[in-house]
Amino acid sequence: MPQGAKSVHTILEQSEKADLLRFTTVGSVDDGKSTLIGRLLYEAGGLYEDQLAAIRKDSGRFKREEFDLSLAMDGLKAEREQAITIDVAYRYFSTPKRHFIIADTPGHEQYTRNMATGASTADLAIILIDACHGVSIQSKRHAFIASLLGIRHMVVAVNKMDLVDYSEEVFRKVEEDFNIFAEKLRISDLMFIPISALKGDNVVKKSGNTPWYEGSALLSHLETVHVQSDRNLIDLRFPVQYVLRPDRNFRGYCGQLAGGVLRKKDEVLVLPSLRKTHIRSISTGEKEVPYAFALQSITVTLEDEVDVTRGDMVVHSGNLPKIQRETDAILVWMDEKPLKTGEVYLIKHTTQLLKGTVAHLHFSIDPDDLKRKKAKELKMNEIGRATVQFFRSVFCDDYARNRETGSFIMIDPVTHATVASGMIIERGHLPLMAKPDEKASVKSPFLHRQEGIISLKDRSRLLRQKPATLWMTGLSSSGKSTIAFELEKRLMAEGRLCYVLDGDNVRYGLNRDLGFSPQDRSENIRRVAEVANLFNEAGVIVITAFISPYREDRAQARKIIGAERFIEVFVDAPVEVCETRDPKGLYKKAKRGEIPEFTGVNAPYEVPESPEVHLKTGEESTDLSAGKVYQYLKERGCLEACE
Amino acid sequence: MEDYRISKLRLLEAESIHIIREVAASFERPVMLYSVGKDSSVMVRLAQKAFHPGKLPFPLLHVDTGMKFKEMYQFRDRFTKEIGAELRVYKFQKAMDQGTNPWDLGTIQCCALLKTQALLNALQEGGYQAALGGARRDEEKSRAKERIFSFRDEYGQWNPKNQRPEIWKLYNTLAGQKESIRVFPLSNWTELDIWQYIHLEKIPVVPMYFAKEREMILREGQLIPLDGPVPLREGEKPQKVLCRFRTLGCYPCTGAVRSAAATVPEIIEEIMTVKNSERITRLIDHDQDSSMEQKKKEGYF
C-alpha cells in the first residue's frame, strides 16, 4: 500500500516537527479539573488514531477501548487523596498538530508554592471556573499567581455549562467579572470558553449547545495559540554553564541560550571581565551551525584566548544586561522557616551560585485582593516585594523581559532546601540616590539641615585641631594609600584624630553597588566627598586615597567639602614606575585587556592643574612625602584649635 | 531566512543536555546509569551531544542482575565499545551466589536484592554523588511527581512528601547531609518522543524492540519469552508468536506484546494508536498497589 505508507510517513514527519505547548491547569477538584484533564488526555490521544485509521481504511486494525471517563477521573481523584498529590504532577499528550505538557497543580493545599512551580515553565494557564458559582476568590488568586509568574496566555474555562442550561447570560457574567479583576494583571492574551468537561462541550469539538459562542473549542485554541515568540529573541544572553576542554586544542563554552540570537563572527563581550572577542564557531551536538537562538543548548568557541568560567555571561557589546549587586524582586516564599532580612542565603541565578541577603522587605501582597500589607517576614506561601543584595555582581534583566535571566532561587546555606523563588523587577520610581547634578535641585520643603547646639568651634577646641580633608589623587600604585596611612600614624602619635578613607575599603561597603564606568566613578567620588564632609563636621581630619582621575569630580568634591577645608594632594609618579610596583598585578591584567577602563592604561588620568601639595613619589621616599604633607597642614594652621 | 522555531523534540533535547551538563558541572563524581534499554540509548546519545568533541566525563554503570536477555548483553558490549564509553558493570554477587531468583523468592524480594540493593551498593562502592537515570514521568503515576533532581536519604530512600520545589530551570544541586542525588534528564519525554528521537537521530537499540516470531509461553495474560531457564508450569507450552518488547528488563519478568511493528516508523505508528501503558508488560509493577512508589521509597531507581 505505497499510497498509504507515504501518508503515514507524512504524519510521522509532521509529528516530529511539531512544537510544544506547556500549560498549567488550576482550579479545585470541584471545578471539574480532573474531568477536563481526563477528557483531554483521552480524546486528544484518539486523534492520531482517527487520522491513521482514515488512511489505512481499516478501522478494525486498532482496538480502541471504550472511553470510560469515570475511570479516568477516579484515577486522578484517587491520586489526589494520597498525600503526595499536594504536589505538581506532570501529564503528557500529543495531537497531530502539537505536543502538550500539563503541569497539574492542586488548587488548595500549598497552592502558592505549587502553582508558582507549575507556572514557572508554562506558556499558558487554564483557569477553571464553575459556572454555577461564578468567579471566586480562588479564581482570582490563581489568575494573579499565573500573571506574576509571567504567563502571557490565559484561558478561563467556564465549566459545567450543562448545569446552567448553557446559558449565555451566566457565561457573560463570568467574563465581565473576571475582566474587571484582570485589568490589574499583566495578561496579554485572555480568552473565555464555555465548556462542559463531563459532556464534552467545546473541549475537543465545538458544541451545538452553545450556538451563541463564536470562539474555538479549547483544544483547537491550545493547538494554535502562538507561543514561539514568547521567548526573548532580541537580547543575546548566553550564561556559560560548562567549560569543555577535552584536549589542549579545543576550548568550548557550553550552555543553553537564555535569550537572543548568536551568529558566527559576532562581536561579543564576556561578563564580568568585559573582554571583547568574536565567535569562531557554534555547534549543537556534532553539528556546526551558522547561528543559534534562545533555548538551544550549544557549544561555542571564541577567536581569542579569554578566561571564561561557569557563571560568566556572553552578550553583544551593544546590549548589556543589568550588572547589579542589588535589585528589587518579588519573592515567593517556599520554606517552613520564614524569611529573615539580613540573613545570608545562597542564591542561584542562571549558572551562578553566590551568596546574598534580603536587605529590606517592602511589603507582602495579599493574592486575594492584591492589596499590599506591611510585613516583617514572609511565611511559607506568602508573596512579597523585597530588596535583595548579592555579594557578587549578577547579570540580569527584568523578569518581564526575560524569564531566564530575570529569575533566581534562594537556598538555605545549612539545610540546602530551596526556600524562595525570586523575580527581578524594576526598582521603584523614587530615586534611591540623587545624581550629582541633581543635588542642588533636591530641595524638598521637608528637608532642612539640622543645626545642633555643639558648634564646630567647640569640637575644634576639644580636639586641638582644625578639620580638613587631604585629597590624595594619583595613579594606581603611585603611593596614595601608603602615604595616607603613614601620615595617619604620625598624626595619631601626636594625639590628633584623623581617619583614612581608602578606595578599596569604600568599594567593599558603602559603594559596592558601583562599577568603574565614568558615571559610577563620579558617583563614587561624590559619596566619598559627602562622607569626608561629615567627618570634617565632626572635627576629624580626613585623608582620602582615591585615584579620582577626573578634574570635574575633584572640583565637585572641593565644592561639597568646602574650599577652606579641601587640600588637593597630587601623588605624582610616572606610570612606568607605578607599573613596576603594581602589588595587585592590576597593570598586567589591564594590559592584557582583562580590566577595562583602568586608569593610565585604557582610561585617562587628568593631572591636577594647581594642587595644594605636589608629591613626586617616583623620586622621594614615603617618609619625605608624608613629612611634606604634615608640614603643609601645620603651616595652614590645621594642627591648632580655633580661636 | 533564519528560522528560530524550535520543535518539541529539539526543545526536549536542549533541556536534557542542559540537565546533563549541570550534573557534570556540579559534581566531582557523577555516574550515568545504563540499563541497555531504549531510554538509556537516548540518554547516552544526549550525553554524547552535550560533551562533543570530548568524551563522556563520567562512566556508564550497568547494574546487572545476571538475568537480562542475551541480546541485551551483546548489544551492551558492542554499543558501549563503539562509542568509546567507560562501562562499569556491578553485580550483587553475594545475592546471586545464594541463588536469588523470582521463581523461589517472588519478584518483590528478587528486585529488592538484585536491583535496589545492588544499585545502592554500586553507588556507594563507586563513591558516586549523583546518578543520572533514564526514567520518564509518563511511565508510571508516582514518577509523574518526581523531581528532575531527586534527593535520596542516606539509605537511598525517596520521600515523596518532602520534595524541594523545582522552579524554572534553576536546579538546586546541593545535597543535604548524607543525601545522594538521582537525576532524570528524560523526565519530560514520553514513549512517543523517545521513538521519534530514535528515528530522527538513527540511534541503535536492542533488536528485541522489533517484531519477530519468538518462542513464548502465555502466563497470566502475559507473553513470557523463553530466553533462559524459565521453569514451565503445568499445561504451559512454548509457542511461536509474532511479538515485540515495549520495555526490557529481566527475562523471567518481562512480557512481550503481540505486534507486527518491525521498524521504527511502525513502532511510532503503533504507539500513536495503542492506549496501554508500556509498563503493563513489566510484571514487577503489578506486585501490589502503588508498587512502584513503594519500591522507590526503598531506593529503587
Side-chain angles (χ1 to χ4, degrees), chain B residues 71-102:
Chain B
E71 281 174 86
M72 288 173 75
Y73 290 117
Q74 286 161 8
F75 179 86
R76 177 192 74 187
D77 296 338
R78 196 182 60 236
F79 178 69
T80 51
K81 201 176 153 194
E82 262 169 27
I83 64 167
E86 181 191 346
L87 175 71
R88 293 187 191 167
V89 177
Y90 181 86
K91 288 182 184 178
F92 191 4
Q93 205 56 53
K94 204 174 123 202
M96 286 164 77
D97 291 346
Q98 285 164 359
T100 304
N101 71 63

mmCIF file of all heavy atoms in Angstrom, chain B residues 71-102:
data_model
loop_
_atom_site.group_PDB
_atom_site.id
_atom_site.type_symbol
_atom_site.label_atom_id
_atom_site.label_comp_id
_atom_site.label_asym_id
_atom_site.label_seq_id
_atom_site.Cartn_x
_atom_site.Cartn_y
_atom_site.Cartn_z
ATOM 1 N N GLU B 71 20.489 -11.006 24.051
ATOM 2 C CA GLU B 71 20.619 -9.932 23.065
ATOM 3 C C GLU B 71 20.982 -8.599 23.729
ATOM 4 O O GLU B 71 21.611 -7.739 23.121
ATOM 5 C CB GLU B 71 19.305 -9.764 22.278
ATOM 6 C CG GLU B 71 19.118 -10.786 21.188
ATOM 7 C CD GLU B 71 17.744 -10.662 20.539
ATOM 8 O OE1 GLU B 71 17.607 -9.858 19.597
ATOM 9 O OE2 GLU B 71 16.817 -11.352 20.990
ATOM 10 N N MET B 72 20.530 -8.435 24.976
ATOM 11 C CA MET B 72 20.849 -7.192 25.685
ATOM 12 C C MET B 72 22.338 -7.113 26.004
ATOM 13 O O MET B 72 22.963 -6.077 25.850
ATOM 14 C CB MET B 72 20.030 -7.071 26.975
ATOM 15 C CG MET B 72 18.552 -6.782 26.736
ATOM 16 S SD MET B 72 17.574 -6.860 28.262
ATOM 17 C CE MET B 72 18.038 -5.322 29.055
ATOM 18 N N TYR B 73 22.899 -8.252 26.461
ATOM 19 C CA TYR B 73 24.335 -8.254 26.781
ATOM 20 C C TYR B 73 25.170 -8.002 25.534
ATOM 21 O O TYR B 73 26.131 -7.241 25.548
ATOM 22 C CB TYR B 73 24.740 -9.589 27.419
ATOM 23 C CG TYR B 73 24.173 -9.776 28.814
ATOM 24 C CD1 TYR B 73 23.284 -10.800 29.100
ATOM 25 C CD2 TYR B 73 24.540 -8.906 29.850
ATOM 26 C CE1 TYR B 73 22.761 -10.973 30.373
ATOM 27 C CE2 TYR B 73 24.022 -9.070 31.127
ATOM 28 C CZ TYR B 73 23.125 -10.101 31.387
ATOM 29 O OH TYR B 73 22.619 -10.252 32.642
ATOM 30 N N GLN B 74 24.750 -8.651 24.444
ATOM 31 C CA GLN B 74 25.503 -8.454 23.188
ATOM 32 C C GLN B 74 25.472 -6.996 22.765
ATOM 33 O O GLN B 74 26.482 -6.404 22.422
ATOM 34 C CB GLN B 74 24.893 -9.319 22.065
ATOM 35 C CG GLN B 74 25.204 -10.797 22.201
ATOM 36 C CD GLN B 74 24.234 -11.650 21.378
ATOM 37 O OE1 GLN B 74 23.431 -11.126 20.609
ATOM 38 N NE2 GLN B 74 24.307 -12.962 21.547
ATOM 39 N N PHE B 75 24.261 -6.435 22.831
ATOM 40 C CA PHE B 75 24.099 -5.037 22.423
ATOM 41 C C PHE B 75 24.914 -4.119 23.316
ATOM 42 O O PHE B 75 25.607 -3.215 22.848
ATOM 43 C CB PHE B 75 22.621 -4.634 22.469
ATOM 44 C CG PHE B 75 22.378 -3.201 22.088
ATOM 45 C CD1 PHE B 75 22.222 -2.836 20.754
ATOM 46 C CD2 PHE B 75 22.342 -2.194 23.052
ATOM 47 C CE1 PHE B 75 22.021 -1.512 20.401
ATOM 48 C CE2 PHE B 75 22.147 -0.867 22.704
ATOM 49 C CZ PHE B 75 21.985 -0.531 21.370
ATOM 50 N N ARG B 76 24.835 -4.361 24.631
ATOM 51 C CA ARG B 76 25.540 -3.517 25.596
ATOM 52 C C ARG B 76 27.038 -3.453 25.283
ATOM 53 O O ARG B 76 27.628 -2.376 25.194
ATOM 54 C CB ARG B 76 25.340 -4.077 27.010
ATOM 55 C CG ARG B 76 26.088 -3.305 28.081
ATOM 56 C CD ARG B 76 26.110 -4.060 29.398
ATOM 57 N NE ARG B 76 27.036 -5.194 29.354
ATOM 58 C CZ ARG B 76 27.158 -6.095 30.321
ATOM 59 N NH1 ARG B 76 26.371 -6.034 31.392
ATOM 60 N NH2 ARG B 76 28.023 -7.082 30.219
ATOM 61 N N ASP B 77 27.622 -4.622 25.111
ATOM 62 C CA ASP B 77 29.067 -4.657 24.918
ATOM 63 C C ASP B 77 29.484 -4.012 23.602
ATOM 64 O O ASP B 77 30.480 -3.299 23.540
ATOM 65 C CB ASP B 77 29.569 -6.105 25.017
ATOM 66 C CG ASP B 77 29.336 -6.658 26.423
ATOM 67 O OD1 ASP B 77 29.198 -5.827 27.355
ATOM 68 O OD2 ASP B 77 29.261 -7.887 26.581
ATOM 69 N N ARG B 78 28.676 -4.260 22.558
ATOM 70 C CA ARG B 78 29.024 -3.692 21.261
ATOM 71 C C ARG B 78 28.850 -2.167 21.265
ATOM 72 O O ARG B 78 29.723 -1.413 20.880
ATOM 73 C CB ARG B 78 28.140 -4.326 20.176
ATOM 74 C CG ARG B 78 28.651 -4.100 18.766
ATOM 75 C CD ARG B 78 27.723 -4.704 17.720
ATOM 76 N NE ARG B 78 26.399 -4.136 17.794
ATOM 77 C CZ ARG B 78 25.275 -4.829 17.948
ATOM 78 N NH1 ARG B 78 25.310 -6.144 18.052
ATOM 79 N NH2 ARG B 78 24.098 -4.217 18.014
ATOM 80 N N PHE B 79 27.685 -1.718 21.774
ATOM 81 C CA PHE B 79 27.333 -0.284 21.754
ATOM 82 C C PHE B 79 28.321 0.551 22.564
ATOM 83 O O PHE B 79 28.825 1.572 22.097
ATOM 84 C CB PHE B 79 25.908 -0.118 22.289
ATOM 85 C CG PHE B 79 25.425 1.307 22.366
ATOM 86 C CD1 PHE B 79 25.168 2.035 21.215
ATOM 87 C CD2 PHE B 79 25.201 1.929 23.596
ATOM 88 C CE1 PHE B 79 24.710 3.348 21.283
ATOM 89 C CE2 PHE B 79 24.744 3.244 23.676
ATOM 90 C CZ PHE B 79 24.504 3.950 22.508
ATOM 91 N N THR B 80 28.614 0.127 23.772
ATOM 92 C CA THR B 80 29.491 0.944 24.623
ATOM 93 C C THR B 80 30.911 0.971 24.057
ATOM 94 O O THR B 80 31.606 1.970 24.188
ATOM 95 C CB THR B 80 29.514 0.418 26.072
ATOM 96 O OG1 THR B 80 29.790 -0.984 26.060
ATOM 97 C CG2 THR B 80 28.185 0.667 26.760
ATOM 98 N N LYS B 81 31.301 -0.135 23.418
ATOM 99 C CA LYS B 81 32.633 -0.173 22.821
ATOM 100 C C LYS B 81 32.706 0.794 21.631
ATOM 101 O O LYS B 81 33.661 1.553 21.481
ATOM 102 C CB LYS B 81 32.942 -1.604 22.366
ATOM 103 C CG LYS B 81 34.440 -1.860 22.221
ATOM 104 C CD LYS B 81 34.689 -3.313 21.874
ATOM 105 C CE LYS B 81 35.990 -3.424 21.112
ATOM 106 N NZ LYS B 81 36.129 -4.725 20.464
ATOM 107 N N GLU B 82 31.648 0.754 20.828
ATOM 108 C CA GLU B 82 31.606 1.611 19.629
ATOM 109 C C GLU B 82 31.709 3.095 19.966
ATOM 110 O O GLU B 82 32.369 3.861 19.277
ATOM 111 C CB GLU B 82 30.283 1.384 18.877
ATOM 112 C CG GLU B 82 30.414 0.423 17.711
ATOM 113 C CD GLU B 82 29.051 0.021 17.166
ATOM 114 O OE1 GLU B 82 28.099 0.826 17.312
ATOM 115 O OE2 GLU B 82 28.951 -1.084 16.636
ATOM 116 N N ILE B 83 31.028 3.507 21.027
ATOM 117 C CA ILE B 83 31.042 4.933 21.349
ATOM 118 C C ILE B 83 32.198 5.293 22.276
ATOM 119 O O ILE B 83 32.365 6.452 22.661
ATOM 120 C CB ILE B 83 29.706 5.395 21.977
ATOM 121 C CG1 ILE B 83 29.474 4.699 23.318
ATOM 122 C CG2 ILE B 83 28.546 5.147 21.032
ATOM 123 C CD1 ILE B 83 28.362 5.347 24.120
ATOM 124 N N GLY B 84 32.994 4.316 22.644
ATOM 125 C CA GLY B 84 34.169 4.589 23.460
ATOM 126 C C GLY B 84 33.846 5.017 24.877
ATOM 127 O O GLY B 84 34.581 5.780 25.504
ATOM 128 N N ALA B 85 32.712 4.523 25.407
ATOM 129 C CA ALA B 85 32.342 4.891 26.772
ATOM 130 C C ALA B 85 32.997 3.942 27.765
ATOM 131 O O ALA B 85 33.327 2.804 27.433
ATOM 132 C CB ALA B 85 30.828 4.848 26.928
ATOM 133 N N GLU B 86 33.168 4.426 28.974
ATOM 134 C CA GLU B 86 33.728 3.592 30.031
ATOM 135 C C GLU B 86 32.564 2.873 30.717
ATOM 136 O O GLU B 86 31.732 3.509 31.367
ATOM 137 C CB GLU B 86 34.481 4.491 31.026
ATOM 138 C CG GLU B 86 35.122 3.725 32.146
ATOM 139 C CD GLU B 86 35.619 4.655 33.241
ATOM 140 O OE1 GLU B 86 35.707 5.878 33.026
ATOM 141 O OE2 GLU B 86 35.905 4.139 34.338
ATOM 142 N N LEU B 87 32.490 1.574 30.550
ATOM 143 C CA LEU B 87 31.377 0.807 31.114
ATOM 144 C C LEU B 87 31.791 0.115 32.403
ATOM 145 O O LEU B 87 32.805 -0.568 32.455
ATOM 146 C CB LEU B 87 30.881 -0.238 30.108
ATOM 147 C CG LEU B 87 29.790 -1.183 30.631
ATOM 148 C CD1 LEU B 87 28.464 -0.458 30.801
ATOM 149 C CD2 LEU B 87 29.621 -2.387 29.710
ATOM 150 N N ARG B 88 31.006 0.318 33.453
ATOM 151 C CA ARG B 88 31.241 -0.436 34.687
ATOM 152 C C ARG B 88 30.015 -1.290 34.962
ATOM 153 O O ARG B 88 28.896 -0.800 34.914
ATOM 154 C CB ARG B 88 31.481 0.514 35.850
ATOM 155 C CG ARG B 88 32.787 1.269 35.649
ATOM 156 C CD ARG B 88 33.158 2.097 36.823
ATOM 157 N NE ARG B 88 34.267 2.967 36.433
ATOM 158 C CZ ARG B 88 34.690 3.993 37.143
ATOM 159 N NH1 ARG B 88 34.108 4.282 38.281
ATOM 160 N NH2 ARG B 88 35.698 4.724 36.721
ATOM 161 N N VAL B 89 30.250 -2.560 35.223
ATOM 162 C CA VAL B 89 29.135 -3.472 35.480
ATOM 163 C C VAL B 89 29.176 -3.860 36.946
ATOM 164 O O VAL B 89 30.223 -4.242 37.472
ATOM 165 C CB VAL B 89 29.245 -4.731 34.596
ATOM 166 C CG1 VAL B 89 28.118 -5.716 34.913
ATOM 167 C CG2 VAL B 89 29.206 -4.331 33.125
ATOM 168 N N TYR B 90 28.047 -3.724 37.618
ATOM 169 C CA TYR B 90 28.000 -4.158 39.011
ATOM 170 C C TYR B 90 27.025 -5.303 39.147
ATOM 171 O O TYR B 90 25.884 -5.240 38.679
ATOM 172 C CB TYR B 90 27.563 -3.013 39.940
ATOM 173 C CG TYR B 90 27.531 -3.464 41.381
ATOM 174 C CD1 TYR B 90 28.679 -3.416 42.167
ATOM 175 C CD2 TYR B 90 26.373 -3.995 41.929
ATOM 176 C CE1 TYR B 90 28.668 -3.886 43.472
ATOM 177 C CE2 TYR B 90 26.344 -4.473 43.228
ATOM 178 C CZ TYR B 90 27.502 -4.417 43.998
ATOM 179 O OH TYR B 90 27.490 -4.889 45.292
ATOM 180 N N LYS B 91 27.468 -6.376 39.807
ATOM 181 C CA LYS B 91 26.581 -7.497 40.120
ATOM 182 C C LYS B 91 26.620 -7.695 41.625
ATOM 183 O O LYS B 91 27.702 -7.674 42.218
ATOM 184 C CB LYS B 91 27.063 -8.777 39.441
ATOM 185 C CG LYS B 91 26.860 -8.802 37.959
ATOM 186 C CD LYS B 91 27.317 -10.130 37.407
ATOM 187 C CE LYS B 91 27.204 -10.133 35.892
ATOM 188 N NZ LYS B 91 27.670 -11.382 35.309
ATOM 189 N N PHE B 92 25.453 -7.904 42.223
ATOM 190 C CA PHE B 92 25.407 -8.191 43.650
ATOM 191 C C PHE B 92 25.724 -9.679 43.808
ATOM 192 O O PHE B 92 24.835 -10.525 43.910
ATOM 193 C CB PHE B 92 24.021 -7.846 44.189
ATOM 194 C CG PHE B 92 23.927 -7.849 45.693
ATOM 195 C CD1 PHE B 92 25.036 -8.065 46.506
ATOM 196 C CD2 PHE B 92 22.701 -7.632 46.303
ATOM 197 C CE1 PHE B 92 24.928 -8.055 47.881
ATOM 198 C CE2 PHE B 92 22.582 -7.626 47.676
ATOM 199 C CZ PHE B 92 23.699 -7.853 48.465
ATOM 200 N N GLN B 93 27.030 -9.975 43.789
ATOM 201 C CA GLN B 93 27.484 -11.346 43.679
ATOM 202 C C GLN B 93 26.987 -12.227 44.817
ATOM 203 O O GLN B 93 26.567 -13.360 44.616
ATOM 204 C CB GLN B 93 29.021 -11.359 43.616
ATOM 205 C CG GLN B 93 29.594 -12.584 42.910
ATOM 206 C CD GLN B 93 29.037 -12.749 41.484
ATOM 207 O OE1 GLN B 93 29.091 -11.830 40.673
ATOM 208 N NE2 GLN B 93 28.470 -13.923 41.189
ATOM 209 N N LYS B 94 26.997 -11.644 46.025
ATOM 210 C CA LYS B 94 26.604 -12.440 47.188
ATOM 211 C C LYS B 94 25.169 -12.959 47.023
ATOM 212 O O LYS B 94 24.887 -14.134 47.221
ATOM 213 C CB LYS B 94 26.702 -11.562 48.449
ATOM 214 C CG LYS B 94 26.895 -12.347 49.731
ATOM 215 C CD LYS B 94 27.135 -11.397 50.904
ATOM 216 C CE LYS B 94 26.095 -11.621 51.996
ATOM 217 N NZ LYS B 94 25.940 -10.478 52.864
ATOM 218 N N ALA B 95 24.275 -12.064 46.640
ATOM 219 C CA ALA B 95 22.876 -12.460 46.470
ATOM 220 C C ALA B 95 22.726 -13.437 45.310
ATOM 221 O O ALA B 95 21.932 -14.377 45.366
ATOM 222 C CB ALA B 95 22.014 -11.227 46.235
ATOM 223 N N MET B 96 23.539 -13.216 44.258
ATOM 224 C CA MET B 96 23.434 -14.105 43.101
ATOM 225 C C MET B 96 23.944 -15.502 43.446
ATOM 226 O O MET B 96 23.369 -16.503 43.024
ATOM 227 C CB MET B 96 24.182 -13.508 41.910
ATOM 228 C CG MET B 96 23.406 -12.339 41.301
ATOM 229 S SD MET B 96 24.372 -11.293 40.220
ATOM 230 C CE MET B 96 24.469 -12.263 38.751
ATOM 231 N N ASP B 97 25.015 -15.535 44.244
ATOM 232 C CA ASP B 97 25.561 -16.830 44.653
ATOM 233 C C ASP B 97 24.563 -17.614 45.502
ATOM 234 O O ASP B 97 24.538 -18.844 45.494
ATOM 235 C CB ASP B 97 26.862 -16.636 45.453
ATOM 236 C CG ASP B 97 27.979 -16.119 44.554
ATOM 237 O OD1 ASP B 97 27.801 -16.191 43.310
ATOM 238 O OD2 ASP B 97 29.010 -15.641 45.068
ATOM 239 N N GLN B 98 23.737 -16.875 46.255
ATOM 240 C CA GLN B 98 22.728 -17.548 47.075
ATOM 241 C C GLN B 98 21.533 -17.987 46.237
ATOM 242 O O GLN B 98 20.546 -18.469 46.770
ATOM 243 C CB GLN B 98 22.254 -16.611 48.194
ATOM 244 C CG GLN B 98 23.284 -16.475 49.311
ATOM 245 C CD GLN B 98 23.008 -15.289 50.205
ATOM 246 O OE1 GLN B 98 22.051 -14.540 50.000
ATOM 247 N NE2 GLN B 98 23.866 -15.102 51.208
ATOM 248 N N GLY B 99 21.635 -17.777 44.947
ATOM 249 C CA GLY B 99 20.592 -18.276 44.044
ATOM 250 C C GLY B 99 19.329 -17.443 44.026
ATOM 251 O O GLY B 99 18.236 -17.975 43.844
ATOM 252 N N THR B 100 19.460 -16.133 44.236
ATOM 253 C CA THR B 100 18.290 -15.256 44.202
ATOM 254 C C THR B 100 17.604 -15.334 42.842
ATOM 255 O O THR B 100 18.247 -15.151 41.814
ATOM 256 C CB THR B 100 18.735 -13.802 44.466
ATOM 257 O OG1 THR B 100 19.436 -13.769 45.705
ATOM 258 C CG2 THR B 100 17.529 -12.866 44.524
ATOM 259 N N ASN B 101 16.320 -15.644 42.833
ATOM 260 C CA ASN B 101 15.557 -15.641 41.586
ATOM 261 C C ASN B 101 14.083 -15.392 41.879
ATOM 262 O O ASN B 101 13.613 -15.625 42.994
ATOM 263 C CB ASN B 101 15.776 -16.944 40.819
ATOM 264 C CG ASN B 101 15.093 -18.100 41.510
ATOM 265 O OD1 ASN B 101 13.877 -18.126 41.632
ATOM 266 N ND2 ASN B 101 15.897 -19.042 41.990
ATOM 267 N N PRO B 102 13.354 -14.927 40.885
ATOM 268 C CA PRO B 102 11.960 -14.543 41.146
ATOM 269 C C PRO B 102 11.027 -15.740 41.357
ATOM 270 O O PRO B 102 9.982 -15.599 41.947
ATOM 271 C CB PRO B 102 11.570 -13.771 39.877
ATOM 272 C CG PRO B 102 12.496 -14.262 38.822
ATOM 273 C CD PRO B 102 13.775 -14.607 39.518
#
